[in-house]
């Protein structure tokens, strides 16, 4: 005797729909959503198995994304082009397909040994689509015993498919957004790595080229000064002046090397590197507080550069006597804060070009690693620069 899956009791139908809504609300991950919906449909309709096939981003093929036992292991492995098999036919025609018996003789049918089609007699396949989302996939139910699927059954499953379509569409958007965020993060890492590689190269060129020549020049100037020391003319004075200029240039070259690639970042953690940076600021008393943070290298470099630029602004523009560098980590992010007791400024006013460039540079560095930078200041009340960046290691 054939049997229908329709609900004589509307309460059961409502229970199914509520359960599906709860599954949709559970989270944006496509796999758990499809698996949860498949289980609900089988339990509520007393069918034997349910498959949820999702259309790929290109719209050319369907992938099994959710299945009830014993077919969970086939999720992600079964893939068929649109137009092929009963499922592909439903996707291409956007209309349900009902097979009560003898599916092997149906020209649309394609046998998948992994899905044990020989064990199931009747099936109904409906498109998962809605007007806002379009087609997102196909929903199939199968029974071992013969069943006559009524128009009401098909309408019920089609309504479920439409309801699920919106959630599948949102899950796909979430997946794409997550992939883009990961790509953006990888790009940021590559950009910072490329910048640091170029800084290393420039630092090496300066050290091996200009610096070594300046050192050699200093030796020659010393030798020349010794040779003409007895001469009462201007030569000793000019040589002494040349030596001063050489020393000054050598100091600037060494400072440029340190600025291009601070050695402390290779040897120490970020907190100790900030302490070393603070000690190098002779004009302002800089205090460093906080704890070490476990961060990716490109984030460490970005925060160090922000602190470096902020302290340079303190020295050049703030007329401050005290400054503090604070480093903190919480469950999801790292915070770097640089505060000074200087003259401050009006953030609404247009800063001079050098200050504006420094603020843009810090902002861009923070944004490049997915963070944000804020500057708070008032005339006479100092300035605070705060960078907050996400920490991908926090939940690891």
């Amino acid at each position: 005797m054939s049997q229908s899956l329709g609900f004589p009791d509307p309460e059961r139908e409502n229970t199914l729909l509520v359960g599906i809504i709860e599954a949709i609300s559970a989270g944006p991950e496509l796999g758990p959503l499809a698996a949860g919906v498949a289980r609900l449909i089988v339990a509520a309709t007393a069918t034997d198995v349910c498959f949820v096939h999702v259309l790929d981003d290109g719209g050319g093929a369907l992938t099994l994304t959710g299945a009830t036992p014993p077919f969970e292991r086939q999720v992600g492995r079964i893939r068929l082009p649109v137009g092929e098999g009963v499922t592909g036919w439903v996707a291409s025609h956007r209309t349900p397909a009902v097979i009560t018996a003898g599916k092997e003789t149906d020209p649309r049918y394609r046998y998948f040994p992994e899905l044990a089609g020989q064990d199931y007699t009747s099936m109904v396949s409906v498109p998962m689509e809605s007007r806002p989302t379009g087609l997102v996939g196909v929903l199939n139910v199968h029974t071992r015993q013969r069943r006559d699927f009524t128009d009401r059954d098909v309408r019920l499953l089609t309504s479920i498919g439409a309801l699920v379509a919106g959630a599948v569409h949102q899950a796909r958007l979430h997946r794409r957004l997550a992939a883009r965020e990961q790509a953006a993060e990888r790009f940021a890492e590559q950009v910072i790595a490329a910048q640091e590689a170029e800084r290393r190269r420039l630092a090496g060129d300066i050290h091996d080229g200009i610096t070594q020549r300046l050192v050699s020049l200093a030796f020659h100037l010393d030798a020349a000064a010794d040779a003409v020391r007895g001469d009462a003319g201007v030569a000793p004075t000019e040589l002494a002046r040349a030596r001063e200029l050489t020393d000054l240039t050598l100091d600037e070259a060494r400072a440029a090397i340190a600025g291009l690639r601070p050695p402390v970042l290779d040897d120490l953690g970020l907190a100790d590197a900030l302490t070393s940076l603070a000690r190098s600021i002779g004009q302002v008393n800089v205090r460093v507080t906080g704890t070490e943070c476990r961060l990716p290298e490109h984030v460490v470099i970005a925060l160090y550069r922000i602190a470096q630029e902020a302290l340079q602004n303190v020295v050049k523009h703030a007329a401050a006597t005290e400054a503090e560098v604070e480093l903190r980590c919480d469950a999801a992010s790292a915070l770097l804060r640089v505060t000074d007791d200087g003259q401050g400024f009006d953030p609404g006013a247009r800063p001079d070009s050098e200050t504006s460039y420094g603020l843009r540079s810090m902002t861009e560095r923070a944004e490049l690693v997915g963070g944000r930078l804020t500057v708070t200041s008032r005339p006479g009340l100092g300035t605070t620069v705060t960078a907050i960046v996400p920490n991908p290691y926090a939940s690891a």
Side-chain angles (χ1 to χ4, degrees):
M1 179 178 179
S2 64
Q3 182 182 5
S4 168
L5 66 81
F7 297 130
D9 181 4
E11 189 65 28
R12 287 184 60 199
E13 190 170 318
N14 291 337
T15 300
L16 170 62
L17 296 177
V18 169
I20 290 175
I21 292 171
E22 290 176 348
I24 290 172
S25 304
E29 297 299 326
L30 188 53
L33 167 64
V37 167
R39 288 193 298 270
L40 283 167
I41 291 173
V42 164
T45 61
T47 50
D48 295 307
V49 67
C50 178
F51 298 123
V52 178
H53 300 267
V54 173
L55 196 66
D56 64 15
D57 291 344
L62 294 148
T63 300
L64 181 63
T65 307
T68 50
F71 301 107
E72 306 98 315
R73 292 185 179 180
Q74 304 308 323
V75 167
R77 298 180 179 180
I78 303 298
R79 180 179 170 86
L80 71 161
V82 170
E84 186 173 328
V86 175
T87 302
W89 184 91
V90 169
S92 63
H93 289 77
R94 312 287 179 91
T95 187
V98 178
I99 301 177
T100 303
K103 62 177 180 287
E104 295 82 2
T105 63
D106 193 303
R108 300 170 297 182
Y109 179 70
R110 175 180 170 184
Y111 175 64
F112 286 96
E114 303 91 340
L115 300 182
Q118 71 278 1
D119 296 338
Y120 301 92
T121 302
S122 303
M123 69 172 290
V124 58
S125 179
V126 299
M128 294 191 300
E129 67 175 336
S130 64
R131 185 169 297 174
T133 67
L135 181 74
V136 300
V138 174
L139 177 69
N140 296 345
V141 293
H142 300 258
T143 61
R144 289 188 175 87
Q145 301 297 321
R146 175 191 171 97
R147 288 203 185 181
D148 293 321
F149 297 107
T150 66
D151 290 342
R152 184 171 183 271
D153 298 333
V154 175
R155 286 197 301 271
L156 171 63
L157 289 171
T158 302
S159 298
I160 293 170
L163 184 62
V164 176
V168 171
H169 179 68
Q170 291 299 321
R172 291 169 66 183
L173 291 178
H174 179 269
R175 184 190 63 203
R176 292 176 190 172
L177 179 60
R180 289 176 182 174
E181 289 177 348
Q182 292 174 357
E185 184 176 346
R186 289 194 299 269
F187 177 73
E189 293 178 14
Q190 292 168 358
V191 167
I192 293 175
Q195 290 175 339
E196 293 304 309
E198 182 64 10
R199 287 174 179 270
R200 287 192 189 95
R201 186 190 68 78
L202 289 172
D205 288 348
I206 294 173
H207 179 271
D208 298 337
I210 298 172
T211 302
Q212 296 303 318
R213 290 190 179 94
L214 287 171
V215 171
S216 178
L217 176 59
F219 287 141
H220 286 295
L221 287 173
D222 287 342
D226 290 339
V228 299
R229 186 158 289 145
D231 192 336
V234 297
T237 303
E238 292 300 322
L239 285 171
R241 177 59 178 158
R243 178 55 195 264
E244 290 176 3
L245 292 174
T246 301
D247 290 342
L248 179 61
T249 306
L250 187 58
D251 290 341
E252 292 177 349
R254 287 168 175 160
I257 292 172
L260 285 169
R261 180 61 186 177
V264 290
L265 282 183
D266 295 325
D267 303 328
L268 307 173
L270 178 58
D272 289 339
L274 293 174
T275 300
S276 177
L277 175 64
R279 286 198 297 263
S280 70
I281 307 297
Q283 300 92 324
V284 179
N285 181 30
V286 182
R287 183 165 59 98
V288 179
T289 62
T291 57
E292 187 60 65
C293 295
R294 180 173 174 258
L295 298 166
E297 182 183 10
H298 69 289
V299 177
V300 169
I301 292 170
L303 290 177
Y304 183 89
R305 295 298 183 196
I306 291 171
Q308 191 176 42
E309 182 66 41
L311 289 175
Q312 288 176 358
N313 285 345
V314 170
V315 172
K316 293 178 181 178
H317 307 291
T321 59
E322 301 281 341
E324 180 179 357
V325 178
E326 180 184 2
L327 177 65
R328 303 283 182 192
C329 284
D330 60 24
S333 62
L335 176 145
L336 173 74
R337 181 180 289 121
V338 180
T339 306
D340 68 69
D341 64 353
Q343 61 188 0
F345 66 96
D346 180 3
R350 186 183 182 94
D352 63 62
S353 59
E354 188 175 359
T355 302
S356 178
Y357 174 81
L359 293 178
R360 285 200 308 271
S361 174
M362 290 187 290
T363 300
E364 289 169 359
R365 287 187 183 278
E367 291 176 349
L368 194 58
V369 294
R372 67 183 187 275
L373 184 129
T374 58
V375 179
T376 57
S377 184
R378 289 178 60 187
L381 296 178
T383 300
T384 299
V385 175
T386 304
I388 299 177
V389 302
N391 180 9
Y393 290 165
S395 57

